[in-house]
Amino acid sequence: MTNRRDLPLERSADLPDHVVENRRHWDAAAPQWVANGERNWARDEPEWGIWGIPNSELPLLPDDLSGLRAIELGCGTGYVSAWMRRRGASVYAIDNSEQQLATARRLARLHGLDDIDWVHGNAETVDQPDASFDFAISEYGAATWCDPYRWIPEAHRLLRPGGRLVFLGMHPVALLCSPADGSGPLATSLERPYFGLHRVDWTGVEQDPGGIEFNLPIAGWFALFRRVGFVVEDFLEPRPPAGAEAVSSHATALWARAWPAEQVWKVRKAD
Ligand SMILES: C[S@@+](CC[C@H](N)C(=O)[O-])C[C@H]1O[C@@H](n2cnc3c(N)ncnc32)[C@H](O)[C@@H]1O
């Protein structure tokens, strides 16, 4: 397994420490995400989040993206980008992990989608011009692993006036209930303070799942969007149907029937 000290100096020196750690973490974890990527690439109708809620019930992607330029921030194995390409968008997909991108490129070849731009880089600083995208999305990519105070202003810069950003990730309440030692599943007690919630470092804790993730209190998200120039169009807390089965063991359906495990933000760059 690669460790931070093995990275070439110029790469680790140029990147914030959380980006270096998350690159190490995701390069190592990539093999565990191949099967999920394969399943989702094979789907025409998107399914979202821990509960696999269909896009018809939780509409994160418009049915028609013809003529639009779209970006996925933290594309992982790339299936959200595939869904956008099949809906007519031209797609730029950036991810911090070469190993995740290797899966995305292989599945793109397999499914005959040869014109998605797969880019290795940090979604907090994207090498594309201002106002060059109509639509931006993140599903547990930048939404979880990038610092909101860096990636939200960057998404705003990349979008044209009127352009939309949609993202799905863990709800701050779920992070409050994540055991501090890095184990699972979600607890029914508060494991860390809500106020001041920002950076959660999973390296070096007892169970060490690795990686550094981010979230904000709800008021913090609202304040950030307002300051940056995004108008909030919707905020959703997807809830599993009774008896649903989670694809991850972190949040059980019983837990998530009572508390919000996931959040969806839909925001629009002010004209
Ligand atoms: C759970 S995956 C989500 C992506 C996709 N929905 C999937 O499941 O394949 C998280 C992804 O975020 C990426 N990521 C983490 N930090 C990033 C950063 N700073 N810039 C771009 N991507 C990042 C990781 O490399 C990883 O592929």
Side-chain angles (χ1 to χ4, degrees), residues 19 71-74 94-96 121-126 141-142 146 150-152 154-155 158:
V19 179
I71 182 167
E72 186 178 2
L73 299 158
I94 184 167
D95 199 278
N96 189 29
N122 174 14
E124 298 169 349
T125 51
V126 179
C146 289
R150 295 174 188 253
W151 82 272
I152 294 291
E154 182 65 348
L158 290 165

PDB file of all heavy atoms in Angstrom, residues 19 71-74 94-96 121-126 141-142 146 150-152 154-155 158:
ATOM      1  N   VAL A  19      -5.854  16.291   0.621  1.00  0.00           N
ATOM      2  CA  VAL A  19      -5.909  15.763  -0.757  1.00  0.00           C
ATOM      3  C   VAL A  19      -4.867  14.650  -0.924  1.00  0.00           C
ATOM      4  O   VAL A  19      -5.132  13.625  -1.561  1.00  0.00           O
ATOM      5  CB  VAL A  19      -5.714  16.903  -1.780  1.00  0.00           C
ATOM      6  CG1 VAL A  19      -5.738  16.355  -3.206  1.00  0.00           C
ATOM      7  CG2 VAL A  19      -6.799  17.960  -1.605  1.00  0.00           C
ATOM      8  N   ILE A  71     -19.911  18.733 -15.482  1.00  0.00           N
ATOM      9  CA  ILE A  71     -18.694  18.294 -14.789  1.00  0.00           C
ATOM     10  C   ILE A  71     -19.096  17.449 -13.587  1.00  0.00           C
ATOM     11  O   ILE A  71     -20.050  17.775 -12.874  1.00  0.00           O
ATOM     12  CB  ILE A  71     -17.819  19.502 -14.349  1.00  0.00           C
ATOM     13  CG1 ILE A  71     -16.530  19.023 -13.675  1.00  0.00           C
ATOM     14  CG2 ILE A  71     -18.575  20.482 -13.450  1.00  0.00           C
ATOM     15  CD1 ILE A  71     -15.476  20.121 -13.507  1.00  0.00           C
ATOM     16  N   GLU A  72     -18.369  16.339 -13.385  1.00  0.00           N
ATOM     17  CA  GLU A  72     -18.543  15.561 -12.159  1.00  0.00           C
ATOM     18  C   GLU A  72     -17.296  15.763 -11.306  1.00  0.00           C
ATOM     19  O   GLU A  72     -16.171  15.512 -11.745  1.00  0.00           O
ATOM     20  CB  GLU A  72     -18.763  14.068 -12.446  1.00  0.00           C
ATOM     21  CG  GLU A  72     -19.077  13.353 -11.127  1.00  0.00           C
ATOM     22  CD  GLU A  72     -19.358  11.859 -11.255  1.00  0.00           C
ATOM     23  OE1 GLU A  72     -19.284  11.306 -12.367  1.00  0.00           O
ATOM     24  OE2 GLU A  72     -19.630  11.252 -10.196  1.00  0.00           O
ATOM     25  N   LEU A  73     -17.523  16.190 -10.060  1.00  0.00           N
ATOM     26  CA  LEU A  73     -16.427  16.553  -9.159  1.00  0.00           C
ATOM     27  C   LEU A  73     -16.176  15.397  -8.186  1.00  0.00           C
ATOM     28  O   LEU A  73     -16.897  15.234  -7.209  1.00  0.00           O
ATOM     29  CB  LEU A  73     -16.793  17.844  -8.417  1.00  0.00           C
ATOM     30  CG  LEU A  73     -17.007  19.049  -9.354  1.00  0.00           C
ATOM     31  CD1 LEU A  73     -17.856  20.120  -8.692  1.00  0.00           C
ATOM     32  CD2 LEU A  73     -15.666  19.625  -9.785  1.00  0.00           C
ATOM     33  N   GLY A  74     -15.152  14.599  -8.488  1.00  0.00           N
ATOM     34  CA  GLY A  74     -14.894  13.383  -7.719  1.00  0.00           C
ATOM     35  C   GLY A  74     -15.709  12.250  -8.313  1.00  0.00           C
ATOM     36  O   GLY A  74     -16.617  11.712  -7.678  1.00  0.00           O
ATOM     37  N   ILE A  94     -13.566  14.624 -13.156  1.00  0.00           N
ATOM     38  CA  ILE A  94     -12.271  14.748 -12.465  1.00  0.00           C
ATOM     39  C   ILE A  94     -12.284  13.903 -11.199  1.00  0.00           C
ATOM     40  O   ILE A  94     -13.297  13.828 -10.485  1.00  0.00           O
ATOM     41  CB  ILE A  94     -11.948  16.236 -12.156  1.00  0.00           C
ATOM     42  CG1 ILE A  94     -10.555  16.374 -11.530  1.00  0.00           C
ATOM     43  CG2 ILE A  94     -13.002  16.902 -11.293  1.00  0.00           C
ATOM     44  CD1 ILE A  94     -10.041  17.806 -11.492  1.00  0.00           C
ATOM     45  N   ASP A  95     -11.147  13.245 -10.940  1.00  0.00           N
ATOM     46  CA  ASP A  95     -11.004  12.478  -9.699  1.00  0.00           C
ATOM     47  C   ASP A  95      -9.548  12.525  -9.245  1.00  0.00           C
ATOM     48  O   ASP A  95      -8.618  12.599 -10.049  1.00  0.00           O
ATOM     49  CB  ASP A  95     -11.469  11.031  -9.870  1.00  0.00           C
ATOM     50  CG  ASP A  95     -11.757  10.381  -8.520  1.00  0.00           C
ATOM     51  OD1 ASP A  95     -10.799   9.908  -7.861  1.00  0.00           O
ATOM     52  OD2 ASP A  95     -12.937  10.376  -8.091  1.00  0.00           O
ATOM     53  N   ASN A  96      -9.393  12.425  -7.947  1.00  0.00           N
ATOM     54  CA  ASN A  96      -8.090  12.521  -7.283  1.00  0.00           C
ATOM     55  C   ASN A  96      -7.330  11.194  -7.299  1.00  0.00           C
ATOM     56  O   ASN A  96      -6.165  11.153  -6.944  1.00  0.00           O
ATOM     57  CB  ASN A  96      -8.374  12.971  -5.832  1.00  0.00           C
ATOM     58  CG  ASN A  96      -7.141  13.333  -5.049  1.00  0.00           C
ATOM     59  OD1 ASN A  96      -6.141  13.765  -5.608  1.00  0.00           O
ATOM     60  ND2 ASN A  96      -7.208  13.165  -3.740  1.00  0.00           N
ATOM     61  N   GLY A 121      -7.018  14.808 -10.943  1.00  0.00           N
ATOM     62  CA  GLY A 121      -6.728  16.099 -10.309  1.00  0.00           C
ATOM     63  C   GLY A 121      -7.605  16.314  -9.090  1.00  0.00           C
ATOM     64  O   GLY A 121      -8.415  15.466  -8.712  1.00  0.00           O
ATOM     65  N   ASN A 122      -7.409  17.484  -8.515  1.00  0.00           N
ATOM     66  CA  ASN A 122      -8.103  17.873  -7.289  1.00  0.00           C
ATOM     67  C   ASN A 122      -9.309  18.743  -7.646  1.00  0.00           C
ATOM     68  O   ASN A 122      -9.143  19.800  -8.261  1.00  0.00           O
ATOM     69  CB  ASN A 122      -7.093  18.641  -6.414  1.00  0.00           C
ATOM     70  CG  ASN A 122      -7.722  19.229  -5.167  1.00  0.00           C
ATOM     71  OD1 ASN A 122      -8.838  18.875  -4.782  1.00  0.00           O
ATOM     72  ND2 ASN A 122      -6.984  20.141  -4.527  1.00  0.00           N
ATOM     73  N   ALA A 123     -10.494  18.319  -7.264  1.00  0.00           N
ATOM     74  CA  ALA A 123     -11.724  19.045  -7.618  1.00  0.00           C
ATOM     75  C   ALA A 123     -11.817  20.413  -6.927  1.00  0.00           C
ATOM     76  O   ALA A 123     -12.724  21.186  -7.224  1.00  0.00           O
ATOM     77  CB  ALA A 123     -12.947  18.202  -7.264  1.00  0.00           C
ATOM     78  N   GLU A 124     -10.879  20.719  -6.037  1.00  0.00           N
ATOM     79  CA  GLU A 124     -10.878  22.038  -5.405  1.00  0.00           C
ATOM     80  C   GLU A 124     -10.202  23.084  -6.295  1.00  0.00           C
ATOM     81  O   GLU A 124     -10.327  24.284  -6.053  1.00  0.00           O
ATOM     82  CB  GLU A 124     -10.142  21.970  -4.057  1.00  0.00           C
ATOM     83  CG  GLU A 124     -10.819  21.037  -3.063  1.00  0.00           C
ATOM     84  CD  GLU A 124      -9.963  20.766  -1.837  1.00  0.00           C
ATOM     85  OE1 GLU A 124      -8.766  21.125  -1.836  1.00  0.00           O
ATOM     86  OE2 GLU A 124     -10.502  20.186  -0.876  1.00  0.00           O
ATOM     87  N   THR A 125      -9.429  22.626  -7.286  1.00  0.00           N
ATOM     88  CA  THR A 125      -8.743  23.538  -8.218  1.00  0.00           C
ATOM     89  C   THR A 125      -8.728  22.866  -9.588  1.00  0.00           C
ATOM     90  O   THR A 125      -7.838  22.071  -9.886  1.00  0.00           O
ATOM     91  CB  THR A 125      -7.284  23.826  -7.782  1.00  0.00           C
ATOM     92  OG1 THR A 125      -6.642  22.572  -7.550  1.00  0.00           O
ATOM     93  CG2 THR A 125      -7.201  24.682  -6.553  1.00  0.00           C
ATOM     94  N   VAL A 126      -9.733  23.172 -10.390  1.00  0.00           N
ATOM     95  CA  VAL A 126      -9.916  22.473 -11.677  1.00  0.00           C
ATOM     96  C   VAL A 126      -9.314  23.311 -12.800  1.00  0.00           C
ATOM     97  O   VAL A 126      -9.546  24.527 -12.870  1.00  0.00           O
ATOM     98  CB  VAL A 126     -11.430  22.233 -11.929  1.00  0.00           C
ATOM     99  CG1 VAL A 126     -11.653  21.542 -13.262  1.00  0.00           C
ATOM    100  CG2 VAL A 126     -12.023  21.408 -10.792  1.00  0.00           C
ATOM    101  N   GLY A 141     -18.358  12.474  -3.804  1.00  0.00           N
ATOM    102  CA  GLY A 141     -16.998  12.765  -4.272  1.00  0.00           C
ATOM    103  C   GLY A 141     -16.493  14.007  -3.541  1.00  0.00           C
ATOM    104  O   GLY A 141     -16.236  13.966  -2.331  1.00  0.00           O
ATOM    105  N   ALA A 142     -16.386  15.131  -4.286  1.00  0.00           N
ATOM    106  CA  ALA A 142     -16.038  16.399  -3.628  1.00  0.00           C
ATOM    107  C   ALA A 142     -16.991  16.656  -2.467  1.00  0.00           C
ATOM    108  O   ALA A 142     -16.599  17.223  -1.436  1.00  0.00           O
ATOM    109  CB  ALA A 142     -16.111  17.535  -4.644  1.00  0.00           C
ATOM    110  N   CYS A 146     -13.750  16.782  -0.210  1.00  0.00           N
ATOM    111  CA  CYS A 146     -13.119  18.090  -0.430  1.00  0.00           C
ATOM    112  C   CYS A 146     -13.592  19.081   0.621  1.00  0.00           C
ATOM    113  O   CYS A 146     -14.702  18.968   1.145  1.00  0.00           O
ATOM    114  CB  CYS A 146     -13.476  18.624  -1.820  1.00  0.00           C
ATOM    115  SG  CYS A 146     -12.672  17.731  -3.160  1.00  0.00           S
ATOM    116  N   ARG A 150     -13.231  25.291  -0.118  1.00  0.00           N
ATOM    117  CA  ARG A 150     -12.439  25.337  -1.358  1.00  0.00           C
ATOM    118  C   ARG A 150     -13.294  24.907  -2.556  1.00  0.00           C
ATOM    119  O   ARG A 150     -13.266  25.530  -3.597  1.00  0.00           O
ATOM    120  CB  ARG A 150     -11.225  24.406  -1.246  1.00  0.00           C
ATOM    121  CG  ARG A 150     -10.213  24.834  -0.193  1.00  0.00           C
ATOM    122  CD  ARG A 150      -9.135  23.756  -0.080  1.00  0.00           C
ATOM    123  NE  ARG A 150      -8.223  23.985   1.021  1.00  0.00           N
ATOM    124  CZ  ARG A 150      -6.971  24.387   0.882  1.00  0.00           C
ATOM    125  NH1 ARG A 150      -6.463  24.603  -0.294  1.00  0.00           N
ATOM    126  NH2 ARG A 150      -6.201  24.558   1.950  1.00  0.00           N
ATOM    127  N   TRP A 151     -14.034  23.764  -2.417  1.00  0.00           N
ATOM    128  CA  TRP A 151     -14.657  23.248  -3.637  1.00  0.00           C
ATOM    129  C   TRP A 151     -15.950  23.958  -4.012  1.00  0.00           C
ATOM    130  O   TRP A 151     -16.273  24.037  -5.199  1.00  0.00           O
ATOM    131  CB  TRP A 151     -14.843  21.720  -3.572  1.00  0.00           C
ATOM    132  CG  TRP A 151     -16.045  21.180  -2.837  1.00  0.00           C
ATOM    133  CD1 TRP A 151     -16.139  20.882  -1.519  1.00  0.00           C
ATOM    134  CD2 TRP A 151     -17.317  20.843  -3.412  1.00  0.00           C
ATOM    135  NE1 TRP A 151     -17.390  20.393  -1.227  1.00  0.00           N
ATOM    136  CE2 TRP A 151     -18.127  20.345  -2.376  1.00  0.00           C
ATOM    137  CE3 TRP A 151     -17.841  20.903  -4.704  1.00  0.00           C
ATOM    138  CZ2 TRP A 151     -19.439  19.926  -2.572  1.00  0.00           C
ATOM    139  CZ3 TRP A 151     -19.155  20.478  -4.908  1.00  0.00           C
ATOM    140  CH2 TRP A 151     -19.932  20.003  -3.842  1.00  0.00           C
ATOM    141  N   ILE A 152     -16.676  24.501  -3.028  1.00  0.00           N
ATOM    142  CA  ILE A 152     -17.922  25.222  -3.381  1.00  0.00           C
ATOM    143  C   ILE A 152     -17.594  26.516  -4.160  1.00  0.00           C
ATOM    144  O   ILE A 152     -18.190  26.755  -5.220  1.00  0.00           O
ATOM    145  CB  ILE A 152     -18.776  25.496  -2.121  1.00  0.00           C
ATOM    146  CG1 ILE A 152     -19.282  24.151  -1.524  1.00  0.00           C
ATOM    147  CG2 ILE A 152     -19.939  26.431  -2.419  1.00  0.00           C
ATOM    148  CD1 ILE A 152     -20.312  23.399  -2.363  1.00  0.00           C
ATOM    149  N   GLU A 154     -15.024  26.927  -5.985  1.00  0.00           N
ATOM    150  CA  GLU A 154     -14.495  26.468  -7.269  1.00  0.00           C
ATOM    151  C   GLU A 154     -15.643  26.032  -8.199  1.00  0.00           C
ATOM    152  O   GLU A 154     -15.639  26.357  -9.400  1.00  0.00           O
ATOM    153  CB  GLU A 154     -13.506  25.315  -7.036  1.00  0.00           C
ATOM    154  CG  GLU A 154     -12.845  24.771  -8.282  1.00  0.00           C
ATOM    155  CD  GLU A 154     -11.930  25.755  -9.003  1.00  0.00           C
ATOM    156  OE1 GLU A 154     -11.947  26.959  -8.694  1.00  0.00           O
ATOM    157  OE2 GLU A 154     -11.193  25.305  -9.907  1.00  0.00           O
ATOM    158  N   ALA A 155     -16.635  25.331  -7.662  1.00  0.00           N
ATOM    159  CA  ALA A 155     -17.795  24.928  -8.482  1.00  0.00           C
ATOM    160  C   ALA A 155     -18.517  26.181  -8.987  1.00  0.00           C
ATOM    161  O   ALA A 155     -18.953  26.240 -10.142  1.00  0.00           O
ATOM    162  CB  ALA A 155     -18.735  24.048  -7.668  1.00  0.00           C
ATOM    163  N   LEU A 158     -16.652  27.674 -11.885  1.00  0.00           N
ATOM    164  CA  LEU A 158     -16.724  26.867 -13.106  1.00  0.00           C
ATOM    165  C   LEU A 158     -18.076  26.984 -13.825  1.00  0.00           C
ATOM    166  O   LEU A 158     -18.160  26.735 -15.028  1.00  0.00           O
ATOM    167  CB  LEU A 158     -16.469  25.389 -12.766  1.00  0.00           C
ATOM    168  CG  LEU A 158     -15.036  25.056 -12.347  1.00  0.00           C
ATOM    169  CD1 LEU A 158     -14.994  23.673 -11.680  1.00  0.00           C
ATOM    170  CD2 LEU A 158     -14.095  25.092 -13.545  1.00  0.00           C
TER     171      LEU A 158
END
